[in-house]
Amino acid sequence: VPIDKVIAAIPVEGGLDPEQVPLGDRKNMAYSATLVSVGSGTGIAISTGDFTQIGTINRLVNQTETIKTDVLKQIDLVSKYLFIAICTMCIATFLTAFFYSDTYKSKVLDSINIALVCAVAMVPEGLEAIVTLTYSYAVKVMASQNAIVRALPAVETLGSVTVICSDKTGTLTQNIMSLTAFVTSNARYKNDVDAADRVPANFVRDDSYLAERAQHDMKKSGEQILADGPNNPQGRRGKDPSFHFTTDSLHTTDQPAAAAQTSSPDDNFPFKQGESPTKDWIQSALSCGVLCSKCVLGEGGGREGEIGNPTELSILRASYFAGIDIEELKNDCPIVAEVPFSSDYKFMATVHEPIPSDNAPAGKLIAYVKGAPDRMVKQCKFQAKGGVGGEENIEPVNEEYWIEQIAILSSHGLRVLGLCRAFVDKESVKPGDNLGPEFVNGRPEGKWLTMVGLCAIMDPPRPECVQAIKEAHGAGVRVAMITGDHKDTATAIGHMLGIVDEKFSEAVTGPELDAMSDGELCKCVLSHNVFARASPQNKIRIVKALQAEGQVTSMTGDGVNDAPALKAANMGVAMGKEGTDVAREASEMILADDNFATIVYAVKQGRVVWDNLRKVLLVNTPINNSQGLSVLVGLLVKLPSTPITAIQILYSNFICAVTLGFVTAIEPAEDGIMGIPPRRVGKRLIGRFLFLRIVIGTALLTGCVVASACIVNFGSRYSDLDEKDRLYRMRAVAFNVLDFGAMSVMLSARFAYNSSVHPRALMGNPAALGSIVIVTVLQLVLTYVPGLNTFVFGMEGMDGFMWGLVIASMALVFIVMEIEKAIRRSLKAQGADTDDRETPFFTDSIPEKPGVDHMKMPKGASKLNLQELNH
């Protein structure tokens, strides 16, 4: 938005550091990286490079530490334990082969070779590919829902978020100013701002809608309400007001309830409670807002192609969706003369030829005046009964009533605009006259206008955000709103969205945050969900305070000044439509639709990623472990050679484990995933019960592989075969027991608690059945294709008995894994901590809160402090 610059010094009140003057108030300064809209001038450069305002932000971004995601820490930890386990197993295998095995005893090279086979078996070669695939698939799914993730590990961070700090405008709200209500002398009409049909039924008379002041403003004076509301002439913090028709003063009575009562003898005029007005009435009532305007409505009533002030456009949009033909109305009532808008007198007036529905007396023109409501009331002598046109429907104005209505609407965070009309003699106005303000406020007769009604205007919440916030609360995720808007506006939007409730009932402002110590701020961020009139400096302090209290924070932002907070947050979220390139570069995720509901969807996907990573580990780890253990245990039971060869191991790692792991990598969300609290900070990927499941799966697969190998090698059924044929059959059955047993582990791992003894085990994820078919076909090919089975994989085709061993092993693994799941389900129903939410594992204790020391700000952050000047 272009800003007029001045050369005069900006006065600074005593005690205020000049560095603390809001950047928006420094109108005698031109900033690096900004553009000159019009004009030219000569200035003195006072800062360059990193010492400019844009340079300060750059330093903040570079000095703000990027937080390492929990999964990266967990994978580092798992890698350490795997390294220790693999080294231990290799040493144990070497010692067993060298000192105990009949085949390899005292043979150093052969023993080393067997130990290396064990190492190859236990190293999860395919795990990295599956983990990357898990992230990539989640990123693809999120991108299809307008959430673009810039760093793969950041996907998981979303699942642990405990607080989402969101901007208001455009993220929680529609970023479209809309006429919410229209107040007449005796009634209130509610407008459906989300309506898609062009019908008068969008308006409904509802006298209970916004009928009294907001609870937090019940005992305030009109001036206090004005100070905290959107009609405050001081505008948003550090910015000029975008609403030009602001209210200068609001002197309410000591009895607001009495003043709010209508004095109309007929409360059902012109429409009864619950009825919708006619199209003609809406056109008559809102014609002032339509005709007294130079704005152009966008295509189809939307924003595309619109021209003009958003507040004025809201009236045109409401009229359009009520079925009024805007262009036809303007063509039928062309402007004869006008009083242009000026911020000095805060109104605009146009004079028109009347149409029949205006019921104008002969020889008269109709004047429409639209402006700041307090100024309009002062110029009104009459009020239109029920908003109906014609001189026969006017009555003396009730000033106290209108002033209280302004206070009521302002307390709910609504912009208020007064619509008035009057008739003037044709001789008094010449076509094309550019009239002065005295045409309205300097007439000889004094007060002369007729008050038609008050327009209540706001940027309404996105309908989908209400449900998204409810879902977030159900998932144990707090939603905080940080906005530069006024306190009452923020509180009203917070009420509509469900952010403000009994527990978080009040909003806190940026200046109040500036006055708090770090300790006070830490308490404040836990007791407030709405932060109004906040600056970028406040944002980064809020993030630091939440993190100091052990919260995992997501922060949204769109401006250059938001970049430090986005980078400091656990999950920085930038806007795709309205955001700057700097904000996007500092973030981990970009919202292509600037919609809060997309963040909640991303949180859900983040939880899915965490669950799927655990499922991947449950599938892959037992396969790898059982391969290595089968080698070691095979030596201990005196098998003539390893039950599975190195090439079989590599195949199982790269083909079987990856194919079966792929199923769990793309598993959809389980029922109730958004009905549980976020996982605690520091929770291990492999908790107690997952570790137990991995141990059970490993023991079952190892036992089945070695047992089947022993039955074939030592049993009488194949005793007549020579040593090589018996070895090949032993390896064939062991190889198939391993891979088909892995299928059982995969089917059980698909659901954390739900039983897999159900048709759903093969449903809900097309890859489940597909992977089973693929692995089965490959196993049959490798087992029976001549040359491939003997020469490459060192095995022979299997008979019916051997397939019986495979099927029995597969069933045993599946049944035992499901029994364990059933026991865990029962324990959870009894209140046991089966998810390791409170109990740490592989760690000494639950991580402590970082505390206020974590809140140390990067050097240079104070230059962003946007304290207010008292005007």
Side-chain angles (χ1 to χ4, degrees):
V1 178
I3 300 295
D4 291 332
K5 295 296 182 178
V6 299
I7 60 172
I10 303 295
V12 179
E13 296 184 4
L16 187 64
D17 187 340
E19 286 287 342
Q20 294 178 315
V21 174
L23 300 184
D25 284 346
R26 303 180 193 179
K27 296 184 178 180
N28 57 356
M29 301 288 291
Y31 299 104
S32 174
T34 60
L35 301 176
V36 177
S37 176
V38 63
S40 61
T42 302
I44 301 173
I46 63 168
S47 299
T48 59
D50 281 351
F51 297 97
T52 62
Q53 293 297 330
I54 193 75
T56 299
I57 294 167
N58 180 60
R59 291 211 315 277
L60 279 175
V61 172
N62 291 333
Q63 292 173 13
T64 303
E65 232 179 273
T66 301
I67 297 173
K68 194 173 185 179
T69 67
D70 201 27
V71 157
L72 293 179
K73 298 175 185 176
Q74 298 295 320
I75 290 177
D76 288 346
L77 186 68
V78 170
S79 299
K80 292 176 183 176
Y81 285 120
L82 275 175
F83 175 76
I84 294 171
I86 291 170
C87 289
T88 303
M89 285 294 298
C90 284
I91 294 171
T93 302
F94 172 80
L95 294 175
T96 302
F98 188 78
F99 291 106
Y100 181 76
S101 170
D102 293 336
T103 307
Y104 306 106
K105 191 171 184 176
S106 300
K107 298 177 180 178
V108 176
L109 291 179
D110 288 342
S111 298
I112 292 174
N113 183 52
I114 294 297
L116 291 176
V117 170
C118 180
V120 170
M122 292 196 68
V123 172
E125 293 93 342
L127 182 60
E128 183 178 357
I130 289 294
V131 170
T132 304
L133 179 64
T134 305
Y135 281 130
S136 301
Y137 182 77
V139 168
K140 174 180 175 293
V141 171
M142 291 166 65
S144 68
Q145 299 295 322
N146 297 311
I148 302 169
V149 177
R150 298 181 62 249
L152 288 182
V155 177
E156 169 273 330
T157 305
L158 284 161
S160 59
V161 164
T162 58
V163 182
I164 301 174
C165 298
S166 176
D167 283 338
K168 177 182 72 70
T169 305
T171 307
L172 291 168
T173 63
Q174 300 177 22
N175 200 19
I176 300 176
M177 297 305 297
S178 302
L179 178 67
T180 303
F182 186 70
V183 179
T184 66
S185 65
N186 69 335
R188 323 177 84 77
Y189 294 88
K190 182 178 180 181
N191 180 35
D192 183 1
V193 296
D194 299 315
D197 297 328
R198 297 185 59 197
V199 291
N202 293 336
F203 282 88
V204 176
R205 178 170 176 176
D206 184 357
D207 291 345
S208 64
Y209 183 59
L210 305 176
E212 58 183 23
R213 295 183 186 183
Q215 194 66 35
H216 57 274
D217 281 347
M218 278 292 187
K219 297 182 180 180
K220 290 184 180 179
S221 67
E223 292 298 321
Q224 290 173 320
I225 293 173
L226 179 62
D228 290 333
N231 300 293
N232 186 342
Q234 291 187 20
R236 291 172 54 161
R237 187 177 185 186
K239 298 181 180 179
D240 291 332
S242 59
F243 179 44
H244 303 313
F245 302 97
T246 54
T247 304
D248 295 323
S249 61
L250 202 60
H251 300 292
T252 53
T253 67
D254 296 332
Q255 297 179 328
Q261 299 299 314
T262 65
S263 57
S264 174
D266 184 4
D267 286 338
N268 292 326
F269 177 80
F271 308 102
K272 297 179 181 179
Q273 173 76 2
E275 288 185 347
S276 292
T278 62
K279 177 181 173 181
D280 289 341
W281 181 89
I282 296 174
Q283 178 171 305
S284 175
L286 298 183
S287 56
C288 174
V290 174
L291 296 174
C292 187
S293 173
K294 294 295 184 68
C295 297
V296 177
L297 193 62
E299 183 179 349
R303 293 190 61 187
E304 186 176 351
E306 68 180 19
I307 302 173
N309 182 276
T311 306
E312 298 181 60
L313 282 165
S314 67
I315 304 175
L316 272 70
R317 187 173 293 109
S319 303
Y320 173 84
F321 280 104
I324 297 170
D325 190 324
I326 304 296
E327 292 303 316
E328 182 181 336
L329 180 59
K330 287 191 173 186
N331 290 334
D332 291 344
C333 301
I335 295 177
V336 176
E338 66 176 306
V339 180
F341 172 82
S342 170
S343 57
D344 291 333
Y345 45 82
K346 296 184 181 179
F347 60 76
M348 174 183 179
T350 53
V351 181
H352 303 260
E353 288 284 351
I355 57 177
S357 60
D358 292 328
N359 298 321
K364 296 283 188 179
L365 298 174
I366 188 167
Y368 291 115
V369 186
K370 170 184 67 181
D374 60 323
R375 299 200 182 199
M376 293 296 93
V377 171
K378 292 176 183 177
Q379 298 300 324
C380 286
K381 183 177 182 180
F382 307 103
Q383 62 187 28
K385 289 190 289 188
V388 178
E391 288 192 321
E392 68 279 7
N393 291 310
I394 62 173
E395 60 187 2
V397 69
N398 182 351
E399 288 193 15
E400 287 188 356
Y401 168 80
W402 292 107
I403 292 296
E404 181 58 29
Q405 295 307 316
I406 298 170
I408 289 172
L409 298 175
S410 295
S411 73
H412 289 282
L414 297 162
R415 295 181 177 183
V416 186
L417 197 60
L419 302 185
C420 304
R421 63 184 171 213
F423 295 111
V424 296
D425 294 331
K426 284 188 176 182
E427 294 77 15
S428 64
V429 178
K430 295 179 180 179
D433 274 355
N434 197 6
L435 305 172
E438 63 278 359
F439 175 79
V440 174
N441 58 16
R443 300 184 71 84
E445 65 268 35
K447 297 181 179 182
W448 66 295
L449 295 176
T450 298
M451 175 64 74
V452 179
L454 298 176
C455 294
I457 299 163
M458 72 181 308
D459 180 10
R462 290 177 181 260
E464 64 272 23
C465 286
V466 178
Q467 180 59 37
I469 289 172
K470 187 181 294 184
E471 186 177 5
H473 288 165
V477 179
R478 261 183 66 202
V479 178
M481 180 170 69
I482 305 176
T483 177
D485 221 329
H486 292 279
K487 187 175 182 179
D488 281 353
T489 302
T491 303
I493 294 292
H495 272 294
M496 296 178 188
L497 291 167
I499 295 174
V500 175
D501 52 25
E502 292 182 1
K503 183 177 180 181
F504 304 98
S505 58
E506 295 183 354
V508 63
T509 65
E512 291 170 343
L513 294 176
D514 290 333
M516 293 181 185
S517 65
D518 288 345
E520 291 171 333
L521 183 60
C522 284
K523 294 178 181 178
C524 178
V525 295
L526 295 180
S527 59
H528 293 80
N529 274 349
V530 177
F531 302 90
R533 307 199 75 177
S535 68
Q537 163 73 358
N538 296 141
K539 272 192 172 186
I540 195 170
R541 287 195 72 205
I542 290 169
V543 168
K544 293 284 188 180
L546 286 167
Q547 290 173 340
E549 290 298 315
Q551 303 294 313
V552 180
T553 309
S554 171
M555 173 66 75
T556 68
D558 55 8
V560 174
N561 285 355
D562 293 328
L566 291 175
K567 193 168 182 182
N570 301 85
M571 189 71 190
V573 181
M575 302 296 108
K577 286 183 177 180
E578 305 291 339
T580 59
D581 289 340
V582 175
R584 295 190 193 104
E585 286 295 321
S587 67
E588 285 78 30
M589 187 173 79
I590 300 170
L591 300 183
D593 58 356
D594 293 5
N595 192 339
F596 175 84
T598 305
I599 303 177
V600 177
Y601 177 83
V603 168
K604 181 179 179 179
Q605 287 303 313
R607 294 186 175 194
V608 172
V609 166
W610 176 268
D611 285 354
N612 288 354
L613 284 174
R614 287 165 58 87
K615 292 173 184 177
V616 165
L617 288 172
L618 178 55
V619 172
N620 283 61
T621 310
I623 296 175
N624 293 119
N625 291 346
S626 60
Q627 290 167 1
L629 282 170
S630 295
V631 174
L632 176 59
V633 176
L635 294 174
L636 291 173
V637 298
K638 301 287 187 176
L639 286 174
S641 184
T642 57
I644 47 179
T645 64
I647 190 67
Q648 288 174 331
I649 287 170
L650 289 174
Y651 166 83
S652 295
N653 278 347
F654 282 112
I655 307 300
C656 179
V658 170
T659 304
L660 297 177
F662 175 74
V663 177
T664 51
I666 64 171
E667 196 67 32
E670 292 194 51
D671 293 339
I673 195 170
M674 290 298 280
I676 57 177
R679 67 177 182 275
R680 64 174 173 80
V681 176
K683 179 181 176 181
R684 299 304 185 199
L685 259 175
I686 302 178
R688 294 176 303 160
F689 285 90
L690 180 58
F691 181 74
L692 175 63
R693 296 202 80 194
I694 291 173
V695 169
I696 292 173
T698 301
L700 286 169
L701 287 177
T702 303
C704 289
V705 168
V706 175
S708 62
C710 288
I711 290 172
V712 172
N713 186 72
F714 299 124
S716 59
R717 189 178 186 89
Y718 303 102
S719 58
D720 57 337
L721 297 177
D722 61 35
E723 186 177 339
K724 181 178 179 181
D725 287 342
R726 195 164 60 251
L727 177 63
Y728 276 17
R729 288 177 182 264
M730 177 191 74
R731 285 175 171 169
V733 72
F735 178 56
N736 281 284
V737 164
L738 174 66
D739 289 350
F740 279 98
M743 289 186 197
S744 294
V745 176
M746 179 273 290
L747 289 173
S748 180
R750 282 196 62 200
F751 308 104
Y753 288 98
N754 290 333
S755 173
S756 293
V757 187
H758 190 279
R760 63 170 161 256
L762 298 174
M763 299 167 63
N765 185 350
L769 187 58
S771 67
I772 290 175
V773 171
I774 291 172
V775 172
T776 301
V777 170
L778 288 174
Q779 289 296 125
L780 293 174
V781 169
L782 297 180
T783 303
Y784 290 106
V785 172
L788 182 62
N789 55 0
T790 55
F791 182 73
V792 178
F793 283 86
M795 60 181 180
E796 288 185 354
M798 301 198 309
D799 57 23
F801 176 76
M802 296 168 72
W803 279 114
L805 291 176
V806 172
I807 294 171
S809 299
M810 188 177 181
L812 178 63
V813 172
F814 183 75
I815 291 170
V816 174
M817 294 288 285
E818 286 302 298
I819 289 174
E820 181 277 335
K821 194 190 294 183
I823 294 172
R824 192 156 38 87
R825 225 171 20 243
S826 175
L827 290 174
K828 184 177 183 180
Q830 296 172 25
D833 180 22
T834 58
D835 291 317
D836 294 320
R837 296 196 177 281
E838 301 299 333
T839 308
F841 191 60
F842 291 145
T843 184
D844 296 331
S845 61
I846 296 173
E848 295 181 359
K849 297 177 182 178
V852 294
D853 291 340
H854 174 80
M855 294 182 63
K856 185 178 180 182
M857 303 293 285
K859 186 178 180 182
S862 61
K863 290 185 177 294
L864 290 178
N865 197 5
L866 305 185
Q867 291 189 8
E868 283 198 303
L869 286 173
N870 294 320
H871 296 288

